[in-house]
Amino acid sequence: KNEVEQSPQNLTAQEGEFITINCSYSVGISALHWLQQHPGGGIVSLFMLSSGKKKHGRLIATINIQEKHSSLHITASHPRDSAVYICAVARNYGGSQGNLIFGKGTKLSVKP
Amino acid sequence: NAGVTQTPKFQVLKTGQSMTLQCAQDMNHEYMSWYRQDPGMGLRLIHYSVGAGITDQGEVPNGYNVSRSTTEDFPLRLLSAAPSQTSVYFCASSRGTSYEQYFGPGTRLTVT
């Protein structure tokens, strides 16, 4: 079983819909990242979370440390949101630096 | 700031050839890492470094070498290229895994 699981793998939505992408993990973490990758493009950081909730424009990310679960929400989706969304966790090594573990990504397509 | 730069953007190698993928950052980040991205596999860690002179292996290190002689540069060397190393390679830097991650634009490598 992968240590970071994302669902769904693929998602098609109509413009304007509310979208939720989920990320579950099985290890202790110090932080969780949400990343975005447009087709043929580079990877950009959307959020870094260690607790609670963050909002940036139409994007909202939440994390529940006890349940080992995070969600990325997109309100009023737009075709330009079409991209792969990647969840990554920073494993907690008790203060020492480790590495990131990545989910396989969720491919989102928003139709006009 | 240029952020994270990678060269070259594209490269075609013949089996058995060697080459170095360059990665540089101008943000004085201690943590740098190399990933490969293959369809259906997500991002996989090759090697990472937590500071100049310190490197460690990731999930898929075989066939690759790294060194970190300066804070700014983290080159990835392919010792004897194989078709299985055909992939897109991303370099990333940050203050650490619990901080915002900055990715380079990627290098698309084809080994024939």
Side-chain angles (χ1 to χ4, degrees), chain B residues 67-95:
Chain B
S67 60
R68 183 98 179 267
S69 55
T70 67
T71 299
E72 294 78 19
D73 300 296
F74 191 42
L76 178 73
R77 280 180 282 277
L78 278 69
L79 308 172
S80 176
S84 61
Q85 293 179 304
T86 293
S87 188
V88 180
Y89 291 84
F90 288 96
C91 176
S93 79
S94 66
R95 291 170 59 195

PDB file of all heavy atoms in Angstrom, chain B residues 67-95:
ATOM      1  N   SER B  67      26.478  15.266  -6.254  1.00  0.00           N
ATOM      2  CA  SER B  67      27.409  15.885  -5.326  1.00  0.00           C
ATOM      3  C   SER B  67      26.875  17.269  -5.002  1.00  0.00           C
ATOM      4  O   SER B  67      26.096  17.830  -5.766  1.00  0.00           O
ATOM      5  CB  SER B  67      28.815  15.967  -5.909  1.00  0.00           C
ATOM      6  OG  SER B  67      28.799  16.735  -7.101  1.00  0.00           O
ATOM      7  N   ARG B  68      27.297  17.826  -3.879  1.00  0.00           N
ATOM      8  CA  ARG B  68      26.835  19.173  -3.489  1.00  0.00           C
ATOM      9  C   ARG B  68      28.039  19.909  -2.919  1.00  0.00           C
ATOM     10  O   ARG B  68      28.289  19.900  -1.731  1.00  0.00           O
ATOM     11  CB  ARG B  68      25.716  19.060  -2.455  1.00  0.00           C
ATOM     12  CG  ARG B  68      25.123  20.404  -2.048  1.00  0.00           C
ATOM     13  CD  ARG B  68      23.860  20.700  -2.789  1.00  0.00           C
ATOM     14  NE  ARG B  68      23.276  21.967  -2.402  1.00  0.00           N
ATOM     15  CZ  ARG B  68      22.348  22.100  -1.440  1.00  0.00           C
ATOM     16  NH1 ARG B  68      21.931  21.035  -0.754  1.00  0.00           N
ATOM     17  NH2 ARG B  68      21.848  23.282  -1.181  1.00  0.00           N
ATOM     18  N   SER B  69      28.788  20.531  -3.823  1.00  0.00           N
ATOM     19  CA  SER B  69      29.986  21.232  -3.378  1.00  0.00           C
ATOM     20  C   SER B  69      29.673  22.666  -2.957  1.00  0.00           C
ATOM     21  O   SER B  69      30.438  23.270  -2.197  1.00  0.00           O
ATOM     22  CB  SER B  69      31.058  21.222  -4.463  1.00  0.00           C
ATOM     23  OG  SER B  69      30.531  21.749  -5.653  1.00  0.00           O
ATOM     24  N   THR B  70      28.561  23.212  -3.437  1.00  0.00           N
ATOM     25  CA  THR B  70      28.138  24.555  -3.042  1.00  0.00           C
ATOM     26  C   THR B  70      26.668  24.516  -2.658  1.00  0.00           C
ATOM     27  O   THR B  70      25.943  23.598  -3.032  1.00  0.00           O
ATOM     28  CB  THR B  70      28.318  25.585  -4.169  1.00  0.00           C
ATOM     29  OG1 THR B  70      27.401  25.272  -5.231  1.00  0.00           O
ATOM     30  CG2 THR B  70      29.749  25.599  -4.704  1.00  0.00           C
ATOM     31  N   THR B  71      26.210  25.537  -1.941  1.00  0.00           N
ATOM     32  CA  THR B  71      24.784  25.629  -1.620  1.00  0.00           C
ATOM     33  C   THR B  71      23.941  25.776  -2.876  1.00  0.00           C
ATOM     34  O   THR B  71      22.836  25.275  -2.953  1.00  0.00           O
ATOM     35  CB  THR B  71      24.535  26.826  -0.681  1.00  0.00           C
ATOM     36  OG1 THR B  71      25.259  26.635   0.525  1.00  0.00           O
ATOM     37  CG2 THR B  71      23.052  26.974  -0.345  1.00  0.00           C
ATOM     38  N   GLU B  72      24.474  26.470  -3.897  1.00  0.00           N
ATOM     39  CA  GLU B  72      23.678  26.830  -5.069  1.00  0.00           C
ATOM     40  C   GLU B  72      23.445  25.688  -6.049  1.00  0.00           C
ATOM     41  O   GLU B  72      22.432  25.644  -6.725  1.00  0.00           O
ATOM     42  CB  GLU B  72      24.356  27.987  -5.829  1.00  0.00           C
ATOM     43  CG  GLU B  72      24.418  29.301  -5.081  1.00  0.00           C
ATOM     44  CD  GLU B  72      25.505  29.335  -4.023  1.00  0.00           C
ATOM     45  OE1 GLU B  72      26.453  28.518  -4.080  1.00  0.00           O
ATOM     46  OE2 GLU B  72      25.400  30.182  -3.101  1.00  0.00           O
ATOM     47  N   ASP B  73      24.414  24.787  -6.191  1.00  0.00           N
ATOM     48  CA  ASP B  73      24.383  23.823  -7.291  1.00  0.00           C
ATOM     49  C   ASP B  73      24.208  22.386  -6.809  1.00  0.00           C
ATOM     50  O   ASP B  73      24.818  21.978  -5.816  1.00  0.00           O
ATOM     51  CB  ASP B  73      25.677  23.925  -8.103  1.00  0.00           C
ATOM     52  CG  ASP B  73      25.861  25.309  -8.690  1.00  0.00           C
ATOM     53  OD1 ASP B  73      25.024  25.702  -9.529  1.00  0.00           O
ATOM     54  OD2 ASP B  73      26.823  25.993  -8.304  1.00  0.00           O
ATOM     55  N   PHE B  74      23.443  21.627  -7.581  1.00  0.00           N
ATOM     56  CA  PHE B  74      23.198  20.218  -7.223  1.00  0.00           C
ATOM     57  C   PHE B  74      23.067  19.428  -8.531  1.00  0.00           C
ATOM     58  O   PHE B  74      21.975  19.111  -8.983  1.00  0.00           O
ATOM     59  CB  PHE B  74      21.926  20.114  -6.381  1.00  0.00           C
ATOM     60  CG  PHE B  74      21.707  18.769  -5.743  1.00  0.00           C
ATOM     61  CD1 PHE B  74      22.747  18.070  -5.156  1.00  0.00           C
ATOM     62  CD2 PHE B  74      20.439  18.207  -5.707  1.00  0.00           C
ATOM     63  CE1 PHE B  74      22.537  16.846  -4.546  1.00  0.00           C
ATOM     64  CE2 PHE B  74      20.215  16.978  -5.111  1.00  0.00           C
ATOM     65  CZ  PHE B  74      21.255  16.306  -4.534  1.00  0.00           C
ATOM     66  N   PRO B  75      24.188  19.095  -9.179  1.00  0.00           N
ATOM     67  CA  PRO B  75      24.128  18.377 -10.451  1.00  0.00           C
ATOM     68  C   PRO B  75      23.804  16.896 -10.269  1.00  0.00           C
ATOM     69  O   PRO B  75      24.185  16.285  -9.281  1.00  0.00           O
ATOM     70  CB  PRO B  75      25.537  18.570 -11.020  1.00  0.00           C
ATOM     71  CG  PRO B  75      26.399  18.783  -9.806  1.00  0.00           C
ATOM     72  CD  PRO B  75      25.549  19.465  -8.785  1.00  0.00           C
ATOM     73  N   LEU B  76      23.121  16.356 -11.268  1.00  0.00           N
ATOM     74  CA  LEU B  76      22.771  14.927 -11.295  1.00  0.00           C
ATOM     75  C   LEU B  76      23.503  14.287 -12.464  1.00  0.00           C
ATOM     76  O   LEU B  76      23.346  14.711 -13.605  1.00  0.00           O
ATOM     77  CB  LEU B  76      21.253  14.758 -11.483  1.00  0.00           C
ATOM     78  CG  LEU B  76      20.745  13.320 -11.577  1.00  0.00           C
ATOM     79  CD1 LEU B  76      20.802  12.643 -10.211  1.00  0.00           C
ATOM     80  CD2 LEU B  76      19.322  13.287 -12.128  1.00  0.00           C
ATOM     81  N   ARG B  77      24.296  13.277 -12.168  1.00  0.00           N
ATOM     82  CA  ARG B  77      25.086  12.610 -13.202  1.00  0.00           C
ATOM     83  C   ARG B  77      24.503  11.243 -13.537  1.00  0.00           C
ATOM     84  O   ARG B  77      24.241  10.437 -12.623  1.00  0.00           O
ATOM     85  CB  ARG B  77      26.534  12.463 -12.752  1.00  0.00           C
ATOM     86  CG  ARG B  77      27.350  13.721 -12.930  1.00  0.00           C
ATOM     87  CD  ARG B  77      28.790  13.512 -12.462  1.00  0.00           C
ATOM     88  NE  ARG B  77      28.874  13.567 -11.010  1.00  0.00           N
ATOM     89  CZ  ARG B  77      28.949  14.696 -10.308  1.00  0.00           C
ATOM     90  NH1 ARG B  77      28.942  15.867 -10.916  1.00  0.00           N
ATOM     91  NH2 ARG B  77      29.029  14.669  -8.985  1.00  0.00           N
ATOM     92  N   LEU B  78      24.311  11.016 -14.835  1.00  0.00           N
ATOM     93  CA  LEU B  78      23.940   9.699 -15.320  1.00  0.00           C
ATOM     94  C   LEU B  78      25.228   9.025 -15.763  1.00  0.00           C
ATOM     95  O   LEU B  78      25.931   9.538 -16.646  1.00  0.00           O
ATOM     96  CB  LEU B  78      22.963   9.780 -16.494  1.00  0.00           C
ATOM     97  CG  LEU B  78      21.492   9.986 -16.145  1.00  0.00           C
ATOM     98  CD1 LEU B  78      21.239  11.367 -15.578  1.00  0.00           C
ATOM     99  CD2 LEU B  78      20.625   9.728 -17.359  1.00  0.00           C
ATOM    100  N   LEU B  79      25.539   7.896 -15.156  1.00  0.00           N
ATOM    101  CA  LEU B  79      26.850   7.290 -15.367  1.00  0.00           C
ATOM    102  C   LEU B  79      26.933   6.550 -16.698  1.00  0.00           C
ATOM    103  O   LEU B  79      27.920   6.669 -17.419  1.00  0.00           O
ATOM    104  CB  LEU B  79      27.128   6.336 -14.205  1.00  0.00           C
ATOM    105  CG  LEU B  79      26.939   6.977 -12.814  1.00  0.00           C
ATOM    106  CD1 LEU B  79      27.038   5.929 -11.715  1.00  0.00           C
ATOM    107  CD2 LEU B  79      27.944   8.091 -12.595  1.00  0.00           C
ATOM    108  N   SER B  80      25.907   5.784 -17.028  1.00  0.00           N
ATOM    109  CA  SER B  80      25.856   5.021 -18.282  1.00  0.00           C
ATOM    110  C   SER B  80      24.377   4.895 -18.621  1.00  0.00           C
ATOM    111  O   SER B  80      23.687   4.026 -18.096  1.00  0.00           O
ATOM    112  CB  SER B  80      26.506   3.647 -18.091  1.00  0.00           C
ATOM    113  OG  SER B  80      26.380   2.876 -19.277  1.00  0.00           O
ATOM    114  N   ALA B  81      23.910   5.784 -19.495  1.00  0.00           N
ATOM    115  CA  ALA B  81      22.470   5.912 -19.717  1.00  0.00           C
ATOM    116  C   ALA B  81      21.841   4.622 -20.241  1.00  0.00           C
ATOM    117  O   ALA B  81      22.446   3.899 -21.058  1.00  0.00           O
ATOM    118  CB  ALA B  81      22.200   7.057 -20.684  1.00  0.00           C
ATOM    119  N   ALA B  82      20.638   4.366 -19.751  1.00  0.00           N
ATOM    120  CA  ALA B  82      19.858   3.194 -20.169  1.00  0.00           C
ATOM    121  C   ALA B  82      18.466   3.663 -20.599  1.00  0.00           C
ATOM    122  O   ALA B  82      17.977   4.687 -20.082  1.00  0.00           O
ATOM    123  CB  ALA B  82      19.750   2.196 -19.031  1.00  0.00           C
ATOM    124  N   PRO B  83      17.809   2.935 -21.508  1.00  0.00           N
ATOM    125  CA  PRO B  83      16.455   3.342 -21.932  1.00  0.00           C
ATOM    126  C   PRO B  83      15.497   3.510 -20.753  1.00  0.00           C
ATOM    127  O   PRO B  83      14.570   4.337 -20.823  1.00  0.00           O
ATOM    128  CB  PRO B  83      16.033   2.202 -22.855  1.00  0.00           C
ATOM    129  CG  PRO B  83      17.326   1.714 -23.437  1.00  0.00           C
ATOM    130  CD  PRO B  83      18.319   1.807 -22.301  1.00  0.00           C
ATOM    131  N   SER B  84      15.705   2.759 -19.660  1.00  0.00           N
ATOM    132  CA  SER B  84      14.833   2.880 -18.481  1.00  0.00           C
ATOM    133  C   SER B  84      14.963   4.234 -17.796  1.00  0.00           C
ATOM    134  O   SER B  84      14.132   4.578 -16.935  1.00  0.00           O
ATOM    135  CB  SER B  84      15.147   1.776 -17.470  1.00  0.00           C
ATOM    136  OG  SER B  84      16.496   1.882 -17.039  1.00  0.00           O
ATOM    137  N   GLN B  85      15.978   4.997 -18.156  1.00  0.00           N
ATOM    138  CA  GLN B  85      16.156   6.333 -17.577  1.00  0.00           C
ATOM    139  C   GLN B  85      15.477   7.422 -18.414  1.00  0.00           C
ATOM    140  O   GLN B  85      15.568   8.602 -18.077  1.00  0.00           O
ATOM    141  CB  GLN B  85      17.645   6.646 -17.400  1.00  0.00           C
ATOM    142  CG  GLN B  85      18.302   5.748 -16.355  1.00  0.00           C
ATOM    143  CD  GLN B  85      19.777   6.015 -16.190  1.00  0.00           C
ATOM    144  OE1 GLN B  85      20.540   5.947 -17.154  1.00  0.00           O
ATOM    145  NE2 GLN B  85      20.201   6.293 -14.971  1.00  0.00           N
ATOM    146  N   THR B  86      14.800   7.030 -19.471  1.00  0.00           N
ATOM    147  CA  THR B  86      13.965   7.967 -20.219  1.00  0.00           C
ATOM    148  C   THR B  86      12.866   8.472 -19.294  1.00  0.00           C
ATOM    149  O   THR B  86      12.091   7.677 -18.740  1.00  0.00           O
ATOM    150  CB  THR B  86      13.347   7.286 -21.444  1.00  0.00           C
ATOM    151  OG1 THR B  86      14.397   6.967 -22.363  1.00  0.00           O
ATOM    152  CG2 THR B  86      12.329   8.182 -22.122  1.00  0.00           C
ATOM    153  N   SER B  87      12.813   9.787 -19.084  1.00  0.00           N
ATOM    154  CA  SER B  87      11.903  10.339 -18.092  1.00  0.00           C
ATOM    155  C   SER B  87      11.976  11.864 -18.153  1.00  0.00           C
ATOM    156  O   SER B  87      12.754  12.438 -18.909  1.00  0.00           O
ATOM    157  CB  SER B  87      12.309   9.858 -16.690  1.00  0.00           C
ATOM    158  OG  SER B  87      11.344  10.223 -15.719  1.00  0.00           O
ATOM    159  N   VAL B  88      11.144  12.490 -17.333  1.00  0.00           N
ATOM    160  CA  VAL B  88      11.270  13.929 -17.099  1.00  0.00           C
ATOM    161  C   VAL B  88      11.867  14.096 -15.710  1.00  0.00           C
ATOM    162  O   VAL B  88      11.375  13.501 -14.740  1.00  0.00           O
ATOM    163  CB  VAL B  88       9.913  14.649 -17.199  1.00  0.00           C
ATOM    164  CG1 VAL B  88      10.098  16.139 -16.954  1.00  0.00           C
ATOM    165  CG2 VAL B  88       9.275  14.404 -18.565  1.00  0.00           C
ATOM    166  N   TYR B  89      12.911  14.891 -15.625  1.00  0.00           N
ATOM    167  CA  TYR B  89      13.631  15.074 -14.370  1.00  0.00           C
ATOM    168  C   TYR B  89      13.378  16.483 -13.831  1.00  0.00           C
ATOM    169  O   TYR B  89      13.515  17.466 -14.552  1.00  0.00           O
ATOM    170  CB  TYR B  89      15.132  14.865 -14.591  1.00  0.00           C
ATOM    171  CG  TYR B  89      15.471  13.439 -14.896  1.00  0.00           C
ATOM    172  CD1 TYR B  89      15.361  12.944 -16.193  1.00  0.00           C
ATOM    173  CD2 TYR B  89      15.864  12.568 -13.881  1.00  0.00           C
ATOM    174  CE1 TYR B  89      15.645  11.616 -16.463  1.00  0.00           C
ATOM    175  CE2 TYR B  89      16.158  11.241 -14.149  1.00  0.00           C
ATOM    176  CZ  TYR B  89      16.040  10.776 -15.442  1.00  0.00           C
ATOM    177  OH  TYR B  89      16.315   9.456 -15.717  1.00  0.00           O
ATOM    178  N   PHE B  90      13.022  16.534 -12.555  1.00  0.00           N
ATOM    179  CA  PHE B  90      12.797  17.806 -11.886  1.00  0.00           C
ATOM    180  C   PHE B  90      13.764  17.955 -10.722  1.00  0.00           C
ATOM    181  O   PHE B  90      13.977  17.022  -9.942  1.00  0.00           O
ATOM    182  CB  PHE B  90      11.369  17.910 -11.352  1.00  0.00           C
ATOM    183  CG  PHE B  90      10.323  18.095 -12.413  1.00  0.00           C
ATOM    184  CD1 PHE B  90       9.625  17.005 -12.908  1.00  0.00           C
ATOM    185  CD2 PHE B  90      10.053  19.352 -12.921  1.00  0.00           C
ATOM    186  CE1 PHE B  90       8.656  17.168 -13.888  1.00  0.00           C
ATOM    187  CE2 PHE B  90       9.092  19.534 -13.901  1.00  0.00           C
ATOM    188  CZ  PHE B  90       8.394  18.433 -14.394  1.00  0.00           C
ATOM    189  N   CYS B  91      14.301  19.151 -10.602  1.00  0.00           N
ATOM    190  CA  CYS B  91      15.089  19.534  -9.443  1.00  0.00           C
ATOM    191  C   CYS B  91      14.226  20.459  -8.591  1.00  0.00           C
ATOM    192  O   CYS B  91      13.413  21.231  -9.139  1.00  0.00           O
ATOM    193  CB  CYS B  91      16.346  20.260  -9.912  1.00  0.00           C
ATOM    194  SG  CYS B  91      17.380  20.903  -8.595  1.00  0.00           S
ATOM    195  N   ALA B  92      14.381  20.392  -7.280  1.00  0.00           N
ATOM    196  CA  ALA B  92      13.620  21.258  -6.394  1.00  0.00           C
ATOM    197  C   ALA B  92      14.516  21.752  -5.269  1.00  0.00           C
ATOM    198  O   ALA B  92      15.511  21.093  -4.921  1.00  0.00           O
ATOM    199  CB  ALA B  92      12.410  20.524  -5.817  1.00  0.00           C
ATOM    200  N   SER B  93      14.165  22.907  -4.730  1.00  0.00           N
ATOM    201  CA  SER B  93      14.897  23.416  -3.574  1.00  0.00           C
ATOM    202  C   SER B  93      13.925  24.035  -2.581  1.00  0.00           C
ATOM    203  O   SER B  93      12.799  24.420  -2.937  1.00  0.00           O
ATOM    204  CB  SER B  93      15.952  24.436  -4.001  1.00  0.00           C
ATOM    205  OG  SER B  93      15.366  25.707  -4.246  1.00  0.00           O
ATOM    206  N   SER B  94      14.360  24.117  -1.343  1.00  0.00           N
ATOM    207  CA  SER B  94      13.537  24.713  -0.284  1.00  0.00           C
ATOM    208  C   SER B  94      14.403  24.893   0.953  1.00  0.00           C
ATOM    209  O   SER B  94      15.551  24.425   0.998  1.00  0.00           O
ATOM    210  CB  SER B  94      12.339  23.816   0.054  1.00  0.00           C
ATOM    211  OG  SER B  94      12.779  22.600   0.631  1.00  0.00           O
ATOM    212  N   ARG B  95      13.831  25.524   1.962  1.00  0.00           N
ATOM    213  CA  ARG B  95      14.525  25.610   3.247  1.00  0.00           C
ATOM    214  C   ARG B  95      14.491  24.270   3.964  1.00  0.00           C
ATOM    215  O   ARG B  95      15.269  24.029   4.897  1.00  0.00           O
ATOM    216  CB  ARG B  95      13.878  26.701   4.100  1.00  0.00           C
ATOM    217  CG  ARG B  95      14.103  28.114   3.569  1.00  0.00           C
ATOM    218  CD  ARG B  95      13.254  29.116   4.291  1.00  0.00           C
ATOM    219  NE  ARG B  95      13.531  29.131   5.729  1.00  0.00           N
ATOM    220  CZ  ARG B  95      12.749  29.702   6.638  1.00  0.00           C
ATOM    221  NH1 ARG B  95      11.640  30.310   6.260  1.00  0.00           N
ATOM    222  NH2 ARG B  95      13.075  29.689   7.899  1.00  0.00           N
TER     223      ARG B  95
END
